[in-house]
């Protein structure tokens, strides 16, 4: 089933027990607020975590900057990159880490190219998203618009609770990569003995 940005917006309104809208361009307060926040909230939620579905790989050619700090190879990040993941010698998540830093749209490192980088991509089509990310985004949108739309502090709490539950479900299902490898919860966490640390 295809999902649209309007569906995302209406799911966020449902969290707040608000009536659905017909269009994000509709001249009503809910539509204006959701239209204002949707893209930025999507980018922020993608960038906050290493969502497995949003991790892409690119091999980029670099140039020797001739610098004397040791990080004298510069690589341009792909246009759809929200943030790079720490680069390794072989480009694999469990590879040997290399020294690097990011400045604007460039990565500087101590390894000559080409360099294989992994990065969080700015995926804008809801049909490319993991269902667990969609749940997190819906709740994050509800948090953003709860106060200006409803003026009820209880709705903010409901939206935050929905966000926490959605994020925990994503972590438990390994939809988010932790560190250099996929996160695997300990047996006690999977049983529910304690909350997953964020």
């Amino acid at each position: 089933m295809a999902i649209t940005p309007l569906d995302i917006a209406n799911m966020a309104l449902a969290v707040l027990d608000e009536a659905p809208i017909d269009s994000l361009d509709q001249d009503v307060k809910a539509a204006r607020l959701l239209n204002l926040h949707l893209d930025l909230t999507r980018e922020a939620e993608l960038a906050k975590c290493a969502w497995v579905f949003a991790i892409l790989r690119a091999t980029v050619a670099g140039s020797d900057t001739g610098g004397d700090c040791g990080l004298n190879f510069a690589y341009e990040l792909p246009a759809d990159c929200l943030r790079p993941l720490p680069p390794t010698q072989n480009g694999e998540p469990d590879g040997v880490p290399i020294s690097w830093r990011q400045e604007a749209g460039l990565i500087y490192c101590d390894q000559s190219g080409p360099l294989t980088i992994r990065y969080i991509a700015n995926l804008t089509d809801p049909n490319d998203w993991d269902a667990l990310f969609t749940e997190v985004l819906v709740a994050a949108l509800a948090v953003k618009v709860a106060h200006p739309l409803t003026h009820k502090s209880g709705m903010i709490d409901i939206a935050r609770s929905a966000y926490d539950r959605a994020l925990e479900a994503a972590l438990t299902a390994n939809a988010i990569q932790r560190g250099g490898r996929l996160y695997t919860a300990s047996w006690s966490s999977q049983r529910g003995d304690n909350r997953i640390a964020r």
Side-chain angles (χ1 to χ4, degrees):
M1 179 178 95
I3 190 168
T4 66
L6 178 61
D7 295 327
I8 302 295
N10 281 327
M11 285 187 269
L13 290 172
V15 170
L16 301 174
D17 200 24
E18 292 286 320
I21 57 175
D22 297 325
S23 164
L24 282 166
D25 297 324
Q26 191 175 345
D27 191 20
V28 295
K29 187 175 186 178
R32 288 190 301 269
L33 284 169
L34 289 161
N35 198 21
L36 175 68
H37 290 287
L38 181 61
D39 288 338
L40 185 60
T41 304
R42 173 187 42 78
E43 287 185 23
E45 291 303 322
L46 278 170
K48 279 182 190 177
C49 301
W51 291 94
V52 173
F53 79 91
I55 297 174
L56 297 184
R57 180 183 306 253
T59 301
V60 291
S63 59
D64 189 342
T65 63
D68 57 1
C69 67
L71 303 179
N72 49 339
F73 294 96
Y75 300 89
E76 190 170 340
L77 291 169
D80 63 343
C81 176
L82 287 174
R83 72 176 173 95
L85 297 175
T88 61
Q89 286 181 355
N90 62 1
E92 295 300 324
D94 57 355
V96 177
I98 59 177
S99 297
W100 70 292
R101 75 174 185 271
Q102 180 183 354
E103 293 179 5
L106 297 174
I107 284 181
Y108 292 89
C109 72
D110 59 359
Q111 183 169 313
S112 62
L115 180 69
T116 299
I117 60 165
R118 298 168 67 249
Y119 64 97
I120 305 299
N122 187 13
L123 300 178
T124 58
D125 184 347
N127 297 293
D128 293 335
W129 305 340
D130 185 293
L132 294 167
F133 172 77
T134 301
E135 291 290 323
V136 169
L137 177 59
V138 163
L141 269 175
V143 170
K144 287 267 178 91
V145 303
H147 183 264
L149 184 60
T150 70
H151 301 289
K152 297 175 185 173
S153 60
M155 284 299 168
I156 298 170
D157 295 337
I158 288 170
R160 284 188 180 141
S161 178
Y163 180 84
D164 289 343
R165 285 192 313 274
L167 190 58
E168 188 160 334
L171 287 165
T172 301
N174 291 333
I176 297 171
Q177 183 175 314
R178 303 285 287 231
R181 297 172 177 82
L182 284 177
Y183 174 69
T184 304
S186 68
W187 173 243
S188 61
S189 294
Q190 291 178 9
R191 285 198 313 248
D193 290 352
N194 56 11
R195 292 178 60 90
I196 295 170
R198 288 190 274 284

